[in-house]
Amino acid sequence: MRLLHIPLSRLRGLASGCPDLLDALREEVEADRDPTIKILRVVGGGESPRWYVSVGQRVLPLDSTNLVAMSAATPVFIVDLLQDLQEELAPVFAEDGMMGAVERAVPFVRGFRPGKPS
């Protein structure tokens, strides 16, 4: 998700569980790149999922026990997942009523549109 789509309060929440996040964002801005943040959930065989924040080329661990950080990460993760699924399964999402059903299940998805500020 592009940085400009993430409210400052959510960014601070993410940073509480990912101490190097703000430095990684600063590096992207100083390199004149449009910073994007991606929340990654990695599930290993029989292990608890591990969570990461991807910023540019950096992948940073996210403390999944930090409730503030995970409360900030979850909407970003869900919106990005839905956007990925919309691209991958475009014919399914084109069906009548599909997006309405998604928006009822995940109301905050309405505020996030690719390439447009929320």
Side-chain angles (χ1 to χ4, degrees):
M1 179 174 290
R2 290 177 62 204
L3 181 61
L4 71 105
H5 290 276
I6 302 174
L8 190 53
S9 60
R10 187 162 297 140
L11 188 59
R12 286 186 182 121
L14 274 174
S16 74
C18 185
D20 295 329
L21 176 64
L22 298 178
D23 286 336
L25 286 171
R26 181 185 43 76
E27 289 171 11
E28 289 294 298
V29 170
E30 287 176 353
D32 202 28
R33 292 186 290 261
D34 186 13
T36 58
I37 292 176
K38 187 114 177 136
I39 306 299
L40 308 172
R41 181 177 182 262
V42 178
V43 181
E47 297 176 13
S48 295
R50 290 173 297 185
W51 292 79
Y52 300 91
V53 179
S54 168
V55 178
Q57 298 296 314
R58 294 180 65 182
V59 177
L60 310 166
L62 179 62
D63 179 3
S64 62
T65 64
N66 182 317
L67 295 179
V68 172
M70 293 309 293
S71 294
T74 301
V76 174
F77 177 77
I78 291 173
V79 168
D80 283 344
L81 175 63
L82 283 172
Q83 288 178 349
D84 290 346
L85 289 173
Q86 279 181 291
E87 289 176 22
E88 182 181 336
L89 304 172
V92 172
F93 279 82
E95 290 291 317
D96 286 341
M98 180 63 174
M99 277 312 296
V102 169
E103 289 176 357
R104 280 191 302 280
V106 186
F108 56 81
V109 78
R110 266 181 245 131
F112 296 95
R113 298 287 182 238
K116 297 180 184 174
S118 28

